[in-house]
Amino acid sequence: MFRRFLSAAATPFRAAATPAMSFPLKKPCKLALIQLATGNDKTANLKHAGEKVAEAASRGANVVVLPECFNSPYGTEYFPKYAEPIPGVTGAHPPESTPSYNTLSALASTHKIYLIGGSIPELDPRTQKLYNTSMTFSPSGALIATHRKVHLFDISIPGKIHFIESEVLSPGMTPTLVDLPEFGLIGIGICYDVRFPELAMLAARKGAFAMVYPGAFNMTTGPVHWELLGRGRAVDNQIYVALCSPARSAEAGYTAWGHSMVIDPYAEVVAVTDETEGIVEWVLTPERITEVRKGIPVTVQRRFDVYADISVVGPTEE
Ligand SMILES: NC(=O)CCC(=O)C(=O)O
């Protein structure tokens, strides 16, 4: 409920009744974002992802992230051809139909890492619907979370970019929080999801220490909005934010902006790359979160007596 006029005198500041959040990050966590060069050959994309994940793991990463649609080119014409079902999400599937799942699971267990596997086009064989879905695997190779892109990338800027994901994809219906028991909770969004502050706010209010967005911004919006949106989600919530893009390719139909980055809870870009293939690494620390939240204590100054506590809004079942 919004009142039309609010005067400072009528609504004096007072600390919210909401208790301080429990501490979000349990110990330092090395994050690696793989800005992967991808092409049209799915098998080659999976093999190459494996090489880069191995490289990141050999440098001590605890959590490794791949970009949006890392197994395929990014484009609505490609999604049906590259789509795979996901075991456990839509029942059992023969291994030959799930090469991306198999590869990611094996990489996570071989390297003993948490692997946020960017996203792939997912086929639900029961409904024939397609989704843009991120899978997260534990160091034992178990699938511990899936996030179906909630906000589909439907935009049209005359003369610049026209992209309508909803022509072929269906939207996810659930915000996603993944529990990494040694470290804490991470929220997941996919690309266009970053434009909607609600997912990050929900995750932060439920205690996440980071939001991770596999994404593939474009050459029109990327230069203006990619960093701005990531830093916005970080400063709003005083959490780490990671944006992981594919590398830019001159041959691709969709030209990715690149510039994968890690943003700290003070909204500073602490690690970033250009448009070429590379790995962006940063150690996320509990101390940085504490320092920022102590200095600017918005996490305990929220006025849920004025605007409803969004942390009580639960996920919707699909
Ligand atoms: N893959 C996407 O969702 C792209 C989002 C994007 O480029 C934007 O401007 O938003």
Side-chain angles (χ1 to χ4, degrees):
M1 177 84 68
F2 291 92
R3 270 191 299 166
R4 211 168 156 170
F5 301 106
L6 290 177
S7 80
T11 56
F13 169 77
R14 62 183 182 281
T18 315
M21 283 185 289
S22 60
F23 201 78
L25 178 56
K26 296 175 189 168
K27 63 177 187 182
C29 174
K30 185 165 182 181
L31 182 65
L33 312 178
I34 299 182
Q35 184 160 296
L36 192 73
T38 57
N40 287 356
D41 181 338
K42 189 200 271 193
T43 307
N45 290 338
L46 294 177
K47 182 167 177 289
H48 187 48
E51 291 158 2
K52 301 309 280 184
V53 168
E55 190 182 329
S58 73
R59 292 214 292 261
N62 305 112
V63 178
V64 179
V65 183
L66 288 164
E68 183 177 27
C69 286
F70 80 96
N71 73 356
S72 76
Y74 185 66
T76 49
E77 67 276 34
Y78 300 108
F79 297 152
K81 180 169 165 227
Y82 287 77
E84 301 174 21
I86 298 183
V89 173
T90 52
H93 305 289
E96 61 275 16
S97 69
T98 62
S100 302
Y101 171 99
N102 306 342
T103 300
L104 295 174
S105 171
L107 286 170
S109 64
T110 301
H111 300 294
K112 304 278 175 286
I113 51 165
Y114 288 98
L115 182 54
I116 300 176
S119 76
I120 65 162
E122 177 204 351
L123 169 69
D124 182 338
R126 303 166 307 185
T127 59
Q128 294 304 307
K129 285 185 178 174
L130 297 171
Y131 300 90
N132 186 339
T133 304
S134 178
M135 296 181 263
T136 301
F137 293 86
S138 74
S140 70
L143 180 66
I144 53 172
T146 53
H147 176 76
R148 288 175 169 169
K149 190 174 189 175
V150 169
H151 305 92
L152 295 181
F153 179 44
D154 288 358
I155 73 166
S156 199
I157 305 177
K160 299 284 188 187
I161 179 167
H162 176 83
F163 200 105
I164 308 292
E165 268 190 329
S166 65
E167 282 171 353
V168 295
L169 299 182
S170 296
M173 302 297 282
T174 315
T176 303
L177 260 188
V178 195
D179 188 9
L180 319 184
E182 307 92 299
F183 299 107
L185 299 170
I186 285 187
I188 310 277
I190 300 176
C191 204
Y192 199 60
D193 281 338
V194 74
R195 288 188 179 272
F196 302 85
E198 291 82 357
L199 288 185
M201 278 195 275
L202 280 169
R205 292 299 304 162
K206 287 179 182 295
F209 64 89
M211 272 305 287
V212 171
Y213 297 96
F217 264 48
N218 59 84
M219 299 299 290
T220 298
T221 59
V224 192
H225 292 163
W226 172 252
E227 177 180 327
L228 175 72
L229 288 164
R231 294 182 67 193
R233 302 299 75 84
V235 77
D236 286 346
N237 300 296
Q238 299 181 320
I239 56 173
Y240 285 97
V241 171
L243 307 176
C244 183
S245 171
R248 194 178 301 164
S249 156
E251 288 97 62
Y254 180 94
T255 311
W257 170 237
H259 296 83
S260 297
M261 62 179 70
V262 179
I263 302 157
D264 83 358
Y266 195 63
E268 281 183 316
V269 177
V270 287
V272 62
T273 189
D274 55 15
E275 72 282 4
T276 58
E277 186 168 76
I279 301 179
V280 175
E281 297 167 309
W282 192 253
V283 178
L284 318 188
T285 68
E287 291 74 22
R288 186 61 178 147
I289 301 177
T290 306
E291 184 186 15
V292 170
R293 290 185 180 185
K294 210 168 151 198
I296 308 177
V298 293
T299 53
V300 292
Q301 291 172 333
R302 302 214 189 272
R303 292 291 311 278
F304 293 120
D305 55 329
V306 175
Y307 42 78
D309 181 353
I310 66 160
S311 73
V312 301
V313 179
T316 314
E317 288 304 314
E318 271 175 79

